[in-house]
Amino acid sequence: MATRKRKVETEETVIACENCRYFKPLEGRNECRRNPPSVAVDFEDGGVTSMFPLVDAGEWCGCWAPKLNS
Ligand code: SF4
């Protein structure tokens, strides 16, 4: 008996920050929300703040994970 082979369509996932669940696009910058913000010091005025790492949409790292369906 012949069996019909079904072609499995796979959607190519592009591993890039813009497709990562931790990617947070904001106006003028993109943040990575994988980890809590880090302390950042402004050495010009000595001010201290906290911020998430800034990433470019095309970058990626070893913690990349696909976006969740919600
Ligand atoms: S790929 Fe890495 S750096 Fe980029 S958003 Fe995801 S966790 Fe952050």
Side-chain angles (χ1 to χ4, degrees):
M1 181 171 129
T3 58
R4 180 186 268 176
K5 290 186 178 177
R6 201 174 100 201
K7 185 178 178 184
V8 178
E9 298 290 335
T10 57
E11 188 173 322
E12 185 176 330
T13 301
V14 177
I15 298 178
C17 289
E18 65 182 346
N19 298 320
C20 177
R21 75 177 62 171
Y22 305 114
F23 184 70
K24 176 76 173 173
L26 299 168
E27 210 165 288
R29 69 183 196 280
N30 302 314
E31 294 178 344
C32 172
R33 297 288 181 97
R34 171 69 172 81
N35 294 303
S38 300
V39 173
V41 178
D42 184 338
F43 290 105
E44 290 187 4
D45 66 6
V48 177
T49 188
S50 63
M51 58 187 302
F52 291 96
L54 303 179
V55 295
D56 288 330
E59 293 178 324
W60 64 276
C61 81
C63 294
W64 181 89
K67 290 183 178 180
L68 299 171
N69 293 330
S70 58

